[in-house]
Amino acid sequence: MDSEKLKELFQQLTPEEKIAQTIQLNGSLVIENEVMTTGPMHDLGLPPNLKIHEIGSIYNVNDYQKLIQLQRETLEHSRLKIPMLFMSDVIYGFRTIFPIPLAQAGSYDFDLIEQAAEMTAKECYQNGLHVIFSPMLDLVRDPRWGRVMESPGEDVYTAKRFAQSVVTGYQGDLTHGLAENHVAACIKHFAGYGAPEAGREYNTVDMSNQRLFNEYLQPYQAAIEAQALLVMTAFNVLNGEPATGSRWLNREILRERFGFDGVLVSDHAAIKELVPHGFAKDEREAAQKGLEAGVDFDMMTSVYATHLPELIKQPELAALLDEAVWRILVLKNQLGLFENPYRGLRTQHTGEVLSDEAKELAVKLVEKSCVLLKNDGSLPLKKDQTVAVIGPYGESRLTLGFWASVSGKPQDTIPLKTGLLQHFAAENLIFARGYNLFDSYEQFGPLKAGIEQLNGPIEPEDQLLVEAVKAAEAAEVIVLTFGEQFMESGEGASKAHLQLPLKQIRLIQALKKTGKPLIGVLYTGRPLVLTQVEPLFDSLLLVWYPGTMGGIGIANLLSGQASPTAKLSMTFPRSEGQIPIYSAQLPTGRPLTDSEHSDRFLSKYRDESNEPLFAFGTGLSYGMFTGEWLESAVLSETIQLDYRIKNQAEVAGETVVQIYLLQRPASMVRPSRQLIASDLVLLAPQEDKEKRLSLPISVLGFYDNQGAKHLSNGTYRFLMRIDQKETLLAVTI
Ligand code: NOJ
């Protein structure tokens, strides 16, 4: 529809219809006995005269038949036939579930990440979704917070590249609107949600503006530059104001400074929560503050619906409502919904999820996301070894991670056993569960029976331990799968303790005692504290939550068919007391080395090292790569850094080169090291390649506490990191 026609439509809307457009409800609230109903809606306190078919959007309905029906009903009953927007919590895959974002980011294969996002968009499109609530771009440095799994990790550069790849993969080229097989990205959670005090979910965030501008805001801004069409607000207080009610954040920064003109969605009930935050005296004031902050959709509360009718009697608030509704209509138009309200839904449905191509992409991304943390040579496994595969993840399909429960199905998952059987003879593999993945299935409520059936009954732990040791004794090498189960991370899963449960520690110790090489395969949604058990493993492969094709990709790595390349996207602390611990920390005036002060008065702990167990960027491979700096040149707009990478091995291989900036002195204290570039290099046996990195000089700039950018001449040092080796280069600008 052209803009004039859209304006005509907009002008015909009554105030009630406008308000209804700003309401977004979870599908479970409006569908009863397969039809849309106002019944459950009233539980939310929505006004009885609200017309359900006029509301702007519904989310988390992932069944295309239901969506067809919802749209049909909407068009039948909506006075002006305004189609409904369908959104969903698709975070790392619709039915083909890819590894969690924290894993994907460590692949540094941003093309592959984009292809996976494109595949996700295709599956969503063909199942009738218009908008998906991702990528989540909250920078994270505290593994106590359960949502680190859905973030690209601790590093600004990595998160920015991830943001651009995912947004582009979802939305494609927007020149002619959102094309077929693409959906709109809703980035979240604006802003700073990833830094809650004490790692406690929904807790306060307080940080300096320089940190906000230089670090936490950067990934969102990169996504907006990649033209993300929607943004979701955050639950947290940021520097004294709830993010959702902050005019400064949502209008001055998001819209004016970053140039975002798309739709801003509140997080679930976040406008209403301005009251318990103590930022609004009642729900009416909360509604006013939400509208004033520029929040277009009220997700899952009755606050806009109840109070806007009265509030918009004030002309300045009526004008703000008009702006919000206009943005929602523009989005519907960008999606082509006025011409084709069944966008994506009219196509043939068989075979549109879990295609061979999707599965192949997922396998590749698993291979590229698993991080080899330690290897004494026991990996890869040898073809004719007898292997005891111990631990629940040998056979469990519950490896998709928390958010996949919205649209994914564990039944689609390929377990590790199936993958291993592609490489090893069945008689060489001995399986034992080792311990129960869950202590009980009660937490699953109505889903309990289904999960239990899928995962098997709970067995006595002592018996499982005995069987595990027996299996280990009968084998030459042990592969132990262990870690968290999927409910332990995700939203609402903060933890104060990051060590393994005692039953897992006990099992690891018992297996170590057999004297067989012990290879750990760690499933987790967050960095854990492994200081006690790490020395007991001969090799350790971190597989995060690997998704639908995890079993195949992991088996390819264990067998040596594929070689690990991924790097840690988030630091593993030695103990919880070190948190937050991350790579880009600022130097102190009393560093451990080169200080004139005596030992006691240095920046350190009395009872713990300053070093993490595994630092950001850690990641081994089966190959052997080296690198050296060559020439460098400073041009008017760019710095050119030349380097050479060599594959020392007799087999072809791929490696991730990371380049860090060490910037000191500067007019503000800059991180001790800051990742500014990465390069994924594929080399033939013994091959060496010369590479050139052209960096815009602007990467040397940084923001002060007023948000102003600084850039100065001086000597900058660059550090190249390949495998675990580091080489420095100084360049004068
Ligand atoms: C709350 C979560 O914070 C957000 O990430 C999610 O998209 C919404 N609920 C909708 O389910």
PDB file of all heavy atoms in Angstrom, residues 59-60 89 133 147 150 188-189 193 232 235 267-268 299 403 491, ligand 1:
ATOM      1  N   TYR A  59       1.397 -13.043  20.099  1.00  0.00           N
ATOM      2  CA  TYR A  59       2.693 -13.716  20.018  1.00  0.00           C
ATOM      3  C   TYR A  59       2.670 -15.121  20.598  1.00  0.00           C
ATOM      4  O   TYR A  59       1.780 -15.492  21.344  1.00  0.00           O
ATOM      5  CB  TYR A  59       3.793 -12.859  20.649  1.00  0.00           C
ATOM      6  CG  TYR A  59       3.781 -12.763  22.149  1.00  0.00           C
ATOM      7  CD1 TYR A  59       4.618 -13.555  22.914  1.00  0.00           C
ATOM      8  CD2 TYR A  59       2.948 -11.873  22.798  1.00  0.00           C
ATOM      9  CE1 TYR A  59       4.626 -13.468  24.303  1.00  0.00           C
ATOM     10  CE2 TYR A  59       2.943 -11.778  24.175  1.00  0.00           C
ATOM     11  CZ  TYR A  59       3.782 -12.575  24.924  1.00  0.00           C
ATOM     12  OH  TYR A  59       3.766 -12.486  26.284  1.00  0.00           O
ATOM     13  N   ASN A  60       3.680 -15.863  20.169  1.00  0.00           N
ATOM     14  CA  ASN A  60       3.908 -17.256  20.591  1.00  0.00           C
ATOM     15  C   ASN A  60       2.795 -18.231  20.216  1.00  0.00           C
ATOM     16  O   ASN A  60       2.541 -19.197  20.933  1.00  0.00           O
ATOM     17  CB  ASN A  60       4.262 -17.337  22.080  1.00  0.00           C
ATOM     18  CG  ASN A  60       5.702 -16.885  22.310  1.00  0.00           C
ATOM     19  OD1 ASN A  60       6.392 -16.512  21.362  1.00  0.00           O
ATOM     20  ND2 ASN A  60       6.158 -16.918  23.539  1.00  0.00           N
ATOM     21  N   ASP A  89       8.798 -15.929  20.146  1.00  0.00           N
ATOM     22  CA  ASP A  89      10.111 -16.080  20.791  1.00  0.00           C
ATOM     23  C   ASP A  89      10.931 -17.146  20.080  1.00  0.00           C
ATOM     24  O   ASP A  89      11.158 -18.232  20.610  1.00  0.00           O
ATOM     25  CB  ASP A  89       9.933 -16.476  22.263  1.00  0.00           C
ATOM     26  CG  ASP A  89       9.727 -15.280  23.152  1.00  0.00           C
ATOM     27  OD1 ASP A  89      10.574 -14.375  23.111  1.00  0.00           O
ATOM     28  OD2 ASP A  89       8.721 -15.259  23.881  1.00  0.00           O
ATOM     29  N   PHE A 133      11.409 -12.386  18.150  1.00  0.00           N
ATOM     30  CA  PHE A 133      11.985 -11.625  19.264  1.00  0.00           C
ATOM     31  C   PHE A 133      13.464 -11.958  19.436  1.00  0.00           C
ATOM     32  O   PHE A 133      13.889 -12.501  20.470  1.00  0.00           O
ATOM     33  CB  PHE A 133      11.254 -11.949  20.559  1.00  0.00           C
ATOM     34  CG  PHE A 133       9.822 -11.490  20.635  1.00  0.00           C
ATOM     35  CD1 PHE A 133       8.846 -12.305  21.209  1.00  0.00           C
ATOM     36  CD2 PHE A 133       9.445 -10.244  20.165  1.00  0.00           C
ATOM     37  CE1 PHE A 133       7.530 -11.883  21.317  1.00  0.00           C
ATOM     38  CE2 PHE A 133       8.128  -9.812  20.268  1.00  0.00           C
ATOM     39  CZ  PHE A 133       7.170 -10.638  20.840  1.00  0.00           C
ATOM     40  N   ARG A 147      20.434 -15.819  31.595  1.00  0.00           N
ATOM     41  CA  ARG A 147      20.155 -15.514  30.194  1.00  0.00           C
ATOM     42  C   ARG A 147      21.404 -15.330  29.353  1.00  0.00           C
ATOM     43  O   ARG A 147      21.294 -14.971  28.177  1.00  0.00           O
ATOM     44  CB  ARG A 147      19.247 -14.278  30.102  1.00  0.00           C
ATOM     45  CG  ARG A 147      17.927 -14.506  30.784  1.00  0.00           C
ATOM     46  CD  ARG A 147      16.879 -13.479  30.427  1.00  0.00           C
ATOM     47  NE  ARG A 147      16.340 -13.701  29.103  1.00  0.00           N
ATOM     48  CZ  ARG A 147      15.241 -13.108  28.640  1.00  0.00           C
ATOM     49  NH1 ARG A 147      14.590 -12.261  29.418  1.00  0.00           N
ATOM     50  NH2 ARG A 147      14.808 -13.347  27.431  1.00  0.00           N
ATOM     51  N   GLU A 150      21.495 -16.852  25.720  1.00  0.00           N
ATOM     52  CA  GLU A 150      20.883 -16.319  24.494  1.00  0.00           C
ATOM     53  C   GLU A 150      21.596 -15.070  23.990  1.00  0.00           C
ATOM     54  O   GLU A 150      21.141 -14.419  23.053  1.00  0.00           O
ATOM     55  CB  GLU A 150      19.390 -16.058  24.704  1.00  0.00           C
ATOM     56  CG  GLU A 150      19.102 -15.168  25.888  1.00  0.00           C
ATOM     57  CD  GLU A 150      17.619 -14.987  26.148  1.00  0.00           C
ATOM     58  OE1 GLU A 150      16.941 -14.438  25.283  1.00  0.00           O
ATOM     59  OE2 GLU A 150      17.170 -15.373  27.239  1.00  0.00           O
ATOM     60  N   LYS A 188      16.694  -7.080  21.314  1.00  0.00           N
ATOM     61  CA  LYS A 188      16.330  -6.861  22.713  1.00  0.00           C
ATOM     62  C   LYS A 188      17.552  -7.045  23.594  1.00  0.00           C
ATOM     63  O   LYS A 188      18.549  -7.576  23.113  1.00  0.00           O
ATOM     64  CB  LYS A 188      15.213  -7.829  23.130  1.00  0.00           C
ATOM     65  CG  LYS A 188      15.596  -9.317  23.040  1.00  0.00           C
ATOM     66  CD  LYS A 188      14.367 -10.202  23.152  1.00  0.00           C
ATOM     67  CE  LYS A 188      14.751 -11.647  23.320  1.00  0.00           C
ATOM     68  NZ  LYS A 188      13.614 -12.555  23.357  1.00  0.00           N
ATOM     69  N   HIS A 189      17.522  -6.609  24.827  1.00  0.00           N
ATOM     70  CA  HIS A 189      16.479  -5.877  25.538  1.00  0.00           C
ATOM     71  C   HIS A 189      17.084  -4.509  25.813  1.00  0.00           C
ATOM     72  O   HIS A 189      18.104  -4.448  26.517  1.00  0.00           O
ATOM     73  CB  HIS A 189      16.130  -6.561  26.854  1.00  0.00           C
ATOM     74  CG  HIS A 189      15.732  -8.012  26.705  1.00  0.00           C
ATOM     75  ND1 HIS A 189      16.626  -9.044  26.654  1.00  0.00           N
ATOM     76  CD2 HIS A 189      14.504  -8.596  26.602  1.00  0.00           C
ATOM     77  CE1 HIS A 189      15.991 -10.217  26.531  1.00  0.00           C
ATOM     78  NE2 HIS A 189      14.714  -9.977  26.494  1.00  0.00           N
ATOM     79  N   TYR A 193      20.293  -4.850  29.947  1.00  0.00           N
ATOM     80  CA  TYR A 193      19.695  -5.932  30.756  1.00  0.00           C
ATOM     81  C   TYR A 193      20.714  -7.003  31.149  1.00  0.00           C
ATOM     82  O   TYR A 193      20.544  -7.700  32.156  1.00  0.00           O
ATOM     83  CB  TYR A 193      18.557  -6.522  29.919  1.00  0.00           C
ATOM     84  CG  TYR A 193      17.712  -7.629  30.494  1.00  0.00           C
ATOM     85  CD1 TYR A 193      17.323  -7.650  31.831  1.00  0.00           C
ATOM     86  CD2 TYR A 193      17.241  -8.643  29.656  1.00  0.00           C
ATOM     87  CE1 TYR A 193      16.517  -8.671  32.307  1.00  0.00           C
ATOM     88  CE2 TYR A 193      16.430  -9.660  30.135  1.00  0.00           C
ATOM     89  CZ  TYR A 193      16.072  -9.671  31.466  1.00  0.00           C
ATOM     90  OH  TYR A 193      15.268 -10.681  31.930  1.00  0.00           O
ATOM     91  N   MET A 232      12.886  -4.292  21.499  1.00  0.00           N
ATOM     92  CA  MET A 232      12.122  -4.562  22.729  1.00  0.00           C
ATOM     93  C   MET A 232      12.816  -3.859  23.895  1.00  0.00           C
ATOM     94  O   MET A 232      14.046  -3.855  23.971  1.00  0.00           O
ATOM     95  CB  MET A 232      12.057  -6.063  23.003  1.00  0.00           C
ATOM     96  CG  MET A 232      11.156  -6.446  24.169  1.00  0.00           C
ATOM     97  SD  MET A 232      11.248  -8.228  24.548  1.00  0.00           S
ATOM     98  CE  MET A 232      10.423  -8.927  23.151  1.00  0.00           C
ATOM     99  N   PHE A 235      13.563  -4.976  31.163  1.00  0.00           N
ATOM    100  CA  PHE A 235      12.883  -4.941  32.460  1.00  0.00           C
ATOM    101  C   PHE A 235      13.605  -4.071  33.493  1.00  0.00           C
ATOM    102  O   PHE A 235      13.001  -3.589  34.434  1.00  0.00           O
ATOM    103  CB  PHE A 235      12.858  -6.350  33.061  1.00  0.00           C
ATOM    104  CG  PHE A 235      11.910  -7.317  32.407  1.00  0.00           C
ATOM    105  CD1 PHE A 235      12.356  -8.558  31.957  1.00  0.00           C
ATOM    106  CD2 PHE A 235      10.562  -7.019  32.277  1.00  0.00           C
ATOM    107  CE1 PHE A 235      11.487  -9.485  31.397  1.00  0.00           C
ATOM    108  CE2 PHE A 235       9.679  -7.941  31.714  1.00  0.00           C
ATOM    109  CZ  PHE A 235      10.144  -9.174  31.274  1.00  0.00           C
ATOM    110  N   ASP A 267       8.795  -5.133  27.000  1.00  0.00           N
ATOM    111  CA  ASP A 267       8.896  -6.537  27.383  1.00  0.00           C
ATOM    112  C   ASP A 267       7.635  -6.876  28.193  1.00  0.00           C
ATOM    113  O   ASP A 267       6.847  -5.989  28.562  1.00  0.00           O
ATOM    114  CB  ASP A 267      10.195  -6.827  28.162  1.00  0.00           C
ATOM    115  CG  ASP A 267      10.543  -8.325  28.121  1.00  0.00           C
ATOM    116  OD1 ASP A 267       9.662  -9.142  27.761  1.00  0.00           O
ATOM    117  OD2 ASP A 267      11.685  -8.695  28.457  1.00  0.00           O
ATOM    118  N   HIS A 268       7.447  -8.157  28.444  1.00  0.00           N
ATOM    119  CA  HIS A 268       6.238  -8.674  29.090  1.00  0.00           C
ATOM    120  C   HIS A 268       5.899  -7.893  30.380  1.00  0.00           C
ATOM    121  O   HIS A 268       6.623  -7.976  31.363  1.00  0.00           O
ATOM    122  CB  HIS A 268       6.487 -10.152  29.413  1.00  0.00           C
ATOM    123  CG  HIS A 268       5.323 -10.886  29.965  1.00  0.00           C
ATOM    124  ND1 HIS A 268       4.963 -12.137  29.551  1.00  0.00           N
ATOM    125  CD2 HIS A 268       4.418 -10.551  30.915  1.00  0.00           C
ATOM    126  CE1 HIS A 268       3.911 -12.544  30.208  1.00  0.00           C
ATOM    127  NE2 HIS A 268       3.564 -11.594  31.051  1.00  0.00           N
ATOM    128  N   MET A 299       3.001  -5.060  25.959  1.00  0.00           N
ATOM    129  CA  MET A 299       2.920  -6.522  25.916  1.00  0.00           C
ATOM    130  C   MET A 299       2.305  -7.059  27.199  1.00  0.00           C
ATOM    131  O   MET A 299       2.843  -6.875  28.285  1.00  0.00           O
ATOM    132  CB  MET A 299       4.324  -7.127  25.723  1.00  0.00           C
ATOM    133  CG  MET A 299       4.302  -8.628  25.497  1.00  0.00           C
ATOM    134  SD  MET A 299       5.905  -9.431  25.696  1.00  0.00           S
ATOM    135  CE  MET A 299       6.809  -8.888  24.295  1.00  0.00           C
ATOM    136  N   TRP A 403      15.093 -21.724  25.426  1.00  0.00           N
ATOM    137  CA  TRP A 403      14.163 -21.015  24.550  1.00  0.00           C
ATOM    138  C   TRP A 403      13.597 -21.863  23.422  1.00  0.00           C
ATOM    139  O   TRP A 403      12.594 -21.503  22.801  1.00  0.00           O
ATOM    140  CB  TRP A 403      14.808 -19.745  23.981  1.00  0.00           C
ATOM    141  CG  TRP A 403      14.785 -18.648  24.991  1.00  0.00           C
ATOM    142  CD1 TRP A 403      15.842 -18.206  25.717  1.00  0.00           C
ATOM    143  CD2 TRP A 403      13.650 -17.901  25.443  1.00  0.00           C
ATOM    144  NE1 TRP A 403      15.445 -17.228  26.587  1.00  0.00           N
ATOM    145  CE2 TRP A 403      14.098 -17.023  26.437  1.00  0.00           C
ATOM    146  CE3 TRP A 403      12.297 -17.900  25.111  1.00  0.00           C
ATOM    147  CZ2 TRP A 403      13.253 -16.132  27.104  1.00  0.00           C
ATOM    148  CZ3 TRP A 403      11.451 -17.011  25.771  1.00  0.00           C
ATOM    149  CH2 TRP A 403      11.926 -16.148  26.751  1.00  0.00           C
ATOM    150  N   GLU A 491      15.663 -17.629  30.902  1.00  0.00           N
ATOM    151  CA  GLU A 491      15.038 -16.594  31.739  1.00  0.00           C
ATOM    152  C   GLU A 491      14.692 -17.165  33.117  1.00  0.00           C
ATOM    153  O   GLU A 491      14.255 -18.316  33.245  1.00  0.00           O
ATOM    154  CB  GLU A 491      13.769 -16.053  31.062  1.00  0.00           C
ATOM    155  CG  GLU A 491      13.198 -14.870  31.842  1.00  0.00           C
ATOM    156  CD  GLU A 491      12.022 -14.179  31.160  1.00  0.00           C
ATOM    157  OE1 GLU A 491      11.754 -14.470  29.986  1.00  0.00           O
ATOM    158  OE2 GLU A 491      11.387 -13.339  31.842  1.00  0.00           O
TER     159      GLU A 491
HETATM  160  C1  NOJ B   1      10.069 -11.931  28.455  1.00  0.00           C
HETATM  161  C2  NOJ B   1      11.451 -11.985  27.922  1.00  0.00           C
HETATM  162  O1  NOJ B   1      12.292 -11.128  28.669  1.00  0.00           O
HETATM  163  C3  NOJ B   1      11.577 -11.629  26.459  1.00  0.00           C
HETATM  164  O2  NOJ B   1      12.879 -11.883  26.037  1.00  0.00           O
HETATM  165  C4  NOJ B   1      10.561 -12.367  25.659  1.00  0.00           C
HETATM  166  O3  NOJ B   1      10.712 -12.074  24.290  1.00  0.00           O
HETATM  167  C5  NOJ B   1       9.172 -11.976  26.157  1.00  0.00           C
HETATM  168  N1  NOJ B   1       9.031 -12.348  27.559  1.00  0.00           N
HETATM  169  C6  NOJ B   1       8.046 -12.615  25.357  1.00  0.00           C
HETATM  170  O4  NOJ B   1       7.928 -13.936  25.682  1.00  0.00           O
END
